[in-house]
Amino acid sequence: MKIIAVGMNYALHNKELGHTHENKEPVIFLKPDSAILKDGKPFFIPDFSNEVHYETEVVVRICRLGKNIAPRFAHRYYDAVTVGIDFTARDLQRKFREAGNPWELCKGFDNSAAIGTFVPLEQVGGNVQNLDFHLTIDDKEVQRGHTADMLFRVDEIIAYVSRFMTLKIGDLLFTGTPVGVGPVSIGQHLQGYLGEEKVLDFNIR
């Protein structure tokens, strides 16, 4: 199982991080399977970062084996969605970028991919590009997005990625974060929602 993630897929988020370049293709990076955090287990802030940020995203679950998938058929390759957190060691990310080095370590560390309970896509309307999602910290909303605002749609991303690597059953696609990212701290309680349905619930330790 692999975790495929999309960077810079919401215009306002790109603006808040100072990204002005318009990408012609999706920005793709991977997280290892050891990054998965699920079943409501707590997230422990790692000792190698002083600035870990939450990035709330819709996560799509791949349900079929596929390679070189045409965009018009891509909807057949996923069947469920949830909300996830792409935890990012922002201080390390800045350091790596300034040096022109790869930045997998700031995104792919252990437990950096929190995922909620998957919901059948049909249960939330059947259209992955018509999903509202948000995150609360200690019962206060801190981030909200809508998948209609993606720069690259889910089907486009699946078609693009499958040109380079085979998609397998159980692979996860983190589809990008909207504006509103921020730091986490010990003792906080995070809850993620698809529409008004809570699918993600865990604590920061």
Side-chain angles (χ1 to χ4, degrees):
M1 187 272 283
K2 57 185 171 290
I3 304 165
I4 303 158
V6 185
M8 297 179 281
N9 203 26
Y10 286 82
L12 291 180
H13 170 63
N14 296 347
K15 185 176 180 180
E16 77 176 335
L17 291 187
H19 300 307
T20 57
H21 176 72
E22 290 189 14
N23 296 301
K24 303 300 183 184
E25 297 175 324
V27 175
I28 303 297
F29 61 95
L30 300 177
K31 289 175 176 266
D33 57 6
S34 55
I36 287 288
L37 179 69
K38 60 182 181 178
D39 301 328
K41 293 178 181 177
F43 173 78
F44 290 87
I45 295 178
D47 60 6
F48 50 74
S49 176
N50 294 313
E51 190 183 357
V52 174
H53 279 202
Y54 61 83
E55 296 189 2
T56 312
E57 313 196 7
V58 167
V59 182
V60 173
R61 185 177 67 193
I62 301 299
C63 64
R64 294 178 64 178
L65 184 72
K67 173 72 174 173
N68 288 321
I69 301 164
R72 68 182 183 277
F73 298 133
H75 67 278
R76 301 178 181 177
Y77 288 82
Y78 53 92
D79 63 351
V81 293
T82 191
V83 170
I85 305 293
D86 169 20
F87 282 112
T88 303
R90 194 72 71 198
D91 47 355
L92 295 186
Q93 187 180 44
R94 283 193 294 267
K95 174 184 173 182
F96 295 152
R97 279 180 166 165
E98 288 169 2
N101 292 329
W103 35 278
E104 277 81 2
L105 293 181
C106 73
K107 288 278 194 179
F109 55 89
D110 287 352
N111 300 323
S112 62
I115 55 172
T117 302
F118 278 93
V119 177
L121 186 57
E122 293 303 318
Q123 188 174 313
V124 288
N127 183 358
V128 75
Q129 299 302 153
N130 188 31
L131 297 176
D132 180 76
F133 61 102
H134 69 277
L135 176 73
T136 66
I137 296 182
D138 297 332
D139 296 321
K140 178 182 178 181
E141 184 177 306
V142 294
Q143 193 174 19
R144 178 177 288 271
H146 197 285
T147 56
D149 296 328
M150 289 181 182
L151 298 175
F152 296 97
R153 297 164 64 88
V154 170
D155 290 357
E156 293 178 87
I157 297 165
I158 287 175
Y160 178 75
V161 170
S162 71
R163 290 171 53 198
F164 302 92
M165 60 187 74
T166 299
L167 298 182
K168 295 185 175 182
I169 295 171
D171 285 351
L172 302 180
L173 174 63
F174 276 66
T175 58
T177 192
V179 68
V181 302
V184 293
S185 58
I186 293 172
Q188 290 180 328
H189 181 204
L190 276 62
Q191 295 175 299
Y193 295 80
L194 270 178
E196 297 307 314
E197 181 177 355
K198 182 169 65 177
V199 293
L200 179 68
D201 190 336
F202 67 105
N203 294 292
I204 306 294
R205 299 277 175 84

